[in-house]
Amino acid sequence: MKKRSILIGLSLATGVVSSLLLRKEKQKNENRQNFIGNWRFTSKTKEDVTLEIANDYSLTIEGKPLTASIVELTPTRLVLLDTFGYHLVLEQKGSVITLYDEAEDCHYSLTKIT
């Protein structure tokens, strides 16, 4: 009888822990969705530039696909490496998302296009 009680207790504990871990992973994935969408920023030449980040984190800038691979993906940071070896870093600080373009050594504030 004692073994059965221990087994039931362990089963319940395993269920609770796995439920908490799944919930935490779901929240992480939802937070990563913050980067996905259509964005606009003002370039150095004062022109508006549009940036689209697809569900698979592929990039399109001004309607042209940009080949890049994911280097880092966290709830607050997305780092991509383009084919020329430069990093594009999207970072969320509070409600603001910024883009750092290593090739131009410049930071841009992104505005979501709805």
Side-chain angles (χ1 to χ4, degrees):
M1 189 64 131
K2 194 174 188 179
K3 288 182 183 181
R4 181 183 273 178
S5 298
I6 291 173
L7 185 59
I8 290 172
L10 288 174
S11 295
L12 286 172
T14 302
V16 169
V17 169
S18 64
S19 175
L20 291 173
L21 290 175
L22 286 174
R23 184 179 305 149
K24 188 173 183 177
E25 185 62 31
K26 183 179 178 186
Q27 287 174 343
K28 281 184 183 178
N29 288 337
E30 287 173 359
N31 289 343
R32 292 179 184 148
Q33 299 294 318
N34 293 338
F35 298 112
I36 294 172
N38 294 311
W39 302 91
R40 178 183 7 248
F41 64 91
T42 304
S43 70
K44 286 181 178 180
T45 60
K46 305 295 183 201
E47 294 178 24
D48 280 348
V49 178
T50 58
L51 169 73
E52 180 185 349
I53 303 172
N55 289 334
D56 63 354
Y57 301 101
S58 60
L59 290 179
T60 304
I61 298 177
E62 290 295 304
K64 298 175 187 168
L66 176 70
T67 304
S69 57
I70 297 173
V71 174
E72 178 183 348
L73 177 60
T74 68
T76 59
R77 190 170 156 99
L78 170 61
V79 179
L80 301 163
L81 183 66
D82 69 12
T83 55
F84 299 106
Y86 291 104
H87 291 95
L88 294 167
V89 181
L90 290 107
E91 200 161 22
Q92 181 176 12
K93 294 179 182 171
S95 63
V96 177
I97 294 183
T98 59
L99 168 68
Y100 172 68
D101 184 351
E102 184 180 36
E104 295 184 12
D105 192 27
C106 199
H107 286 87
Y108 304 101
S109 288
L110 299 180
T111 304
K112 185 100 173 187
I113 301 172
T114 53

